[in-house]
Amino acid sequence: MAAKQSHRVGDHPLVKWTLIIVTLLLTSILLVVPLVGIFHQAFALGAAHYWASIADSYTLHAILLTLFVAALTVPLNLVFGIMLAWAVTRFQFPGRKLLMTLMDIPFAVSPVVAGLLYLLLYGRNGWIGSWLDEHSIQLMFAWPGIVMVTVFVTCPFVARELIPLMQQHGREEEEAAVILGASGWQVFRRVTFPNIKWALLYGVILTNARAVGEFGAVSVVSGSIRGETNTLPLHVQLLYQDESVAAFASASLLAGIALLTLIIKALVEWRQSRQDKLANAEPLVVADKVGS
Amino acid sequence: MSIRIENVAKRFGAFQALAPLSLDIGEGEMVGLLGPSGSGKTTLLRIIAGLEGADTGRIWFGSRDVSELHVRDRRVGFVFQHYALFKHMTVADNVAFGLEVLPRHERPSSAQIKQRVGDLLDMVQLNHLAQRFPAQLSGGQKQRVALARALATQPEVLLMDEPFGALDAKVRKELRQWLRQLHEELKFTSVFVTHDQDEALELSDQVVVMSHGRIEQVDEPAKLYASPQSRFVFDFLGHVNVFEGQSYRGRLNQGQAWIQLPEQHLDSGELYMRPHEMRVTANPTTIAHLPLKVMAVNPVGAEVRLELVPLGWETSSPWELGLSHHEYQRWSLKRGDQVYVEPSKAHFFSQHTAAPSEISWPCTSTAGVVEV
């Protein structure tokens, strides 16, 4: 059988269509069907019941607490991420490589383990916790603990986005700005920030999505007290034990946030690629000549 | 403003980037730092700018000691090798940057800034591209924007790192002439780094040749070429033909070759000879017996360039010689022909002294007229 030369290796139509169909099928079974299922279940008893489930005071509290935690986590990790990325890309110091590896611990370790570690340290009987307890400061089983573990779990996102960009960008533009007389703040605001702003936004979106959805670590340190330390993901689980429709209504909120995140992420990526295209554009041919 | 560098040294870990060195640069001079990569020239430039701190030594601008002064307050113009234009700003915003970051009480009004940016862009002939982004410009245009930006704050010192390194030969030549004109007009003191000898010799009032973190020689371009003070400078600037030999009976001998030495030079050592200080002869002369074989003939350019390899003696690299086209036609030399060569002038580096001594030979009448 004479093979046609028009296909590259591995490009046979059979291979192509098998891969495409299997991928689509798996995507719908694994991703789309459950998502549709959540909304279907949430509205199973009608829209009125859906709104009633959400308007429940415990649910509203969980929503507010979740937003509150995210509102604290995101700025904290934004500042921390910029500092970390700046430190490892602009300076040489002993332990720099180690720091870049350590940075990924929150990705590598299970969130439950992270929660347990915080409990061990800051819990009433923990090393730091017992000292705090003497000064009647309670971190665990209260909102500060939830914020702490959420910060821990989401801390690599911003730095991860910034480091490759800042490494590739180098420091010449910043040096040029300083030579031209710019102060440290002016350099950041006028030169560094415009170059990293889209990556920064991307990092923020990911941080926010993860902060809102974090379950494992939060469930260990929160104690799941309804109306007090129950975040939305924990609330979904609690509700599911008594009434599934209300659970799905809350879950649909989380799914909605996820969808919104995806849309914003797609927009940001589109903006970024447009910016890259502009930056790598072919020079316009403009007739001009040096000298007289 | 004059620049004075006193005993400046710099070390990166175990690497001695700059040995303690001193240099005086006169007001309004244009000085080229020339050397191979790793010779410390860029480090020296960055230390003058304040981007890098020296381990020891002092830097003076005029009568002002700027050694401890932050780069921001040194007020020098600096042009980076890859321009370092702000990618997200238009050409006009790039040029305006140095004026806009001035403290409020020094900053010109926005109308004045606009006026000044317009003037600068006129000067670099890019006013029609004011609203473009750097990515939309060619290399030569970017270079001129970088210059306009560096000159916006009217610095008295302009420092340039490989200013034309990334440009093609033609644009490079145009920009060189243009920069020279600009320098005549504005009279700033200028220091630039280059590894291109043509660039250094053509642009500079003084050339500083560097190698291994040391200054080898500081001289006017013509002097530098005519009387290099070290083997390194000889090798680095233009081509040089080297003859190494043992002194014996008034001659420098090696294998079958010899060169007659004047009486005061009776030491063994090396003769360094420029291609234009030698000529081709059909037979050995009373001055020299240097049999060579023609390896290559390159007729492109003002001269025909011959590449010659020794016969019965040795050199570390082939010799090069120039022949006028007229002469070349008369000789009708081909690859593989045997010729002799006779020096008229040479620099002699003896084994015992570092500085060379100059030797010249009287013209012999027999050379150059005998047919091959």
Side-chain angles (χ1 to χ4, degrees), chain B residues 260-303:
Chain B
Q260 189 77 41
L261 287 180
E263 260 183 46
Q264 64 271 34
H265 303 283
L266 294 175
D267 211 355
S268 298
E270 292 159 319
L271 281 173
Y272 276 63
M273 295 161 285
R274 293 293 190 198
H276 70 268
E277 293 166 350
M278 314 190 84
R279 56 184 176 153
V280 177
T281 61
N283 296 299
T285 67
T286 52
I287 291 171
H289 181 272
L290 296 166
L292 292 142
K293 195 170 81 172
V294 178
M295 273 303 282
V297 178
N298 180 358
V300 178
E303 275 191 326

Side-chain angles (χ1 to χ4, degrees), chain B residues 7-25:
Chain B
N7 288 315
V8 162
K10 176 77 181 177
R11 184 180 270 285
F12 294 111
F15 176 66
Q16 183 84 46
L18 288 180
L21 54 81
S22 301
L23 179 65
D24 277 305
I25 295 166

Side-chain angles (χ1 to χ4, degrees), chain A residues 34-43 50 53-54 59 62-63 212-213 231-240 243-259:
Chain A
L35 199 61
V36 174
I38 286 176
F39 285 98
H40 182 258
Q41 285 293 317
F43 286 97
Y50 177 83
S53 316
I54 286 178
T59 308
I63 294 170
V212 168
T231 62
L232 203 46
L234 299 182
H235 189 58
V236 171
Q237 203 222 6
L238 272 187
L239 282 179
Y240 189 68
E243 194 217 344
S244 76
V245 172
F248 279 111
S250 293
S252 75
L253 286 179
L254 285 172
I257 291 171
L259 287 176

Side-chain angles (χ1 to χ4, degrees), chain A residues 88-279:
Chain A
V88 301
T89 57
R90 294 291 183 260
F91 306 118
Q92 291 292 335
F93 52 92
R96 180 175 158 272
K97 285 263 157 63
L98 185 71
L99 185 62
M100 285 177 78
T101 314
L102 284 179
M103 200 177 77
D104 280 341
I105 282 184
F107 281 168
V109 80
S110 161
V112 177
V113 175
L116 283 172
L117 283 173
Y118 270 74
L119 205 55
L120 192 69
L121 273 179
Y122 299 101
R124 192 163 292 177
N125 302 318
W127 301 331
I128 303 171
S130 52
W131 181 85
L132 288 171
D133 197 44
E134 281 167 31
H135 296 77
S136 32
I137 299 168
Q138 192 196 356
L139 297 180
M140 295 298 110
F141 307 114
W143 67 263
I146 300 174
V147 173
M148 283 163 77
V149 291
T150 311
V151 165
F152 175 86
V153 168
T154 59
C155 86
F157 284 106
V158 171
R160 274 269 138 220
E161 287 302 316
L162 292 187
I163 287 171
L165 188 75
M166 288 174 76
Q167 256 166 353
Q168 173 214 333
H169 224 267
R171 60 198 298 175
E172 269 204 342
E173 282 187 41
E174 280 142 20
E175 285 185 339
V178 176
I179 286 189
L180 288 166
S183 65
W185 172 243
Q186 281 171 323
V187 172
F188 180 76
R189 191 172 62 84
R190 287 165 167 268
V191 178
T192 312
F193 180 72
N195 280 324
I196 61 171
K197 65 181 174 201
W198 292 110
L200 206 59
L201 187 55
Y202 191 72
V204 163
I205 292 166
L206 291 178
T207 306
N208 184 60
R210 187 63 203 268
V212 168
E214 177 52 32
F215 179 85
V218 173
S219 76
V220 176
V221 300
S222 97
S224 301
I225 307 162
R226 267 188 219 233
E228 274 181 48
T229 61
N230 218 17
T231 62
L232 203 46
L234 299 182
H235 189 58
V236 171
Q237 203 222 6
L238 272 187
L239 282 179
Y240 189 68
Q241 286 158 6
D242 355 306
E243 194 217 344
S244 76
V245 172
F248 279 111
S250 293
S252 75
L253 286 179
L254 285 172
I257 291 171
L259 287 176
L260 197 68
T261 306
L262 285 181
I263 292 167
I264 299 173
K265 174 174 162 280
L267 277 175
V268 169
E269 276 175 346
W270 175 72
R271 271 304 306 249
Q272 212 171 2
S273 76
R274 234 177 48 144
Q275 199 188 29
D276 286 352
K277 227 179 272 172
L278 191 70

Side-chain angles (χ1 to χ4, degrees), chain B residues 79-81 83 143 147 160-167 175 179 192-194 199 203:
Chain B
V79 176
F80 286 83
Q81 186 175 4
Y83 324 125
Q143 180 60 276
L147 259 166
M160 294 175 283
D161 188 5
E162 299 270 0
F164 312 118
L167 302 171
L175 271 176
L179 182 66
F192 69 98
V193 158
T194 181
E199 205 163 284
L203 274 175

Side-chain angles (χ1 to χ4, degrees), chain B residues 106-144:
Chain B
E106 289 175 47
R107 194 189 313 153
S109 70
S110 57
Q112 282 170 314
I113 290 181
K114 211 173 161 200
Q115 171 69 32
R116 175 123 187 82
V117 169
D119 292 346
L120 282 158
L121 287 176
D122 278 339
M123 180 187 80
V124 298
Q125 295 158 17
L126 286 175
N127 223 332
H128 57 297
L129 300 178
Q131 294 312 314
R132 294 277 157 77
F133 285 91
Q136 298 169 301
L137 306 182
S138 71
Q141 290 166 344
K142 279 186 207 169
Q143 180 60 276
R144 284 181 281 153

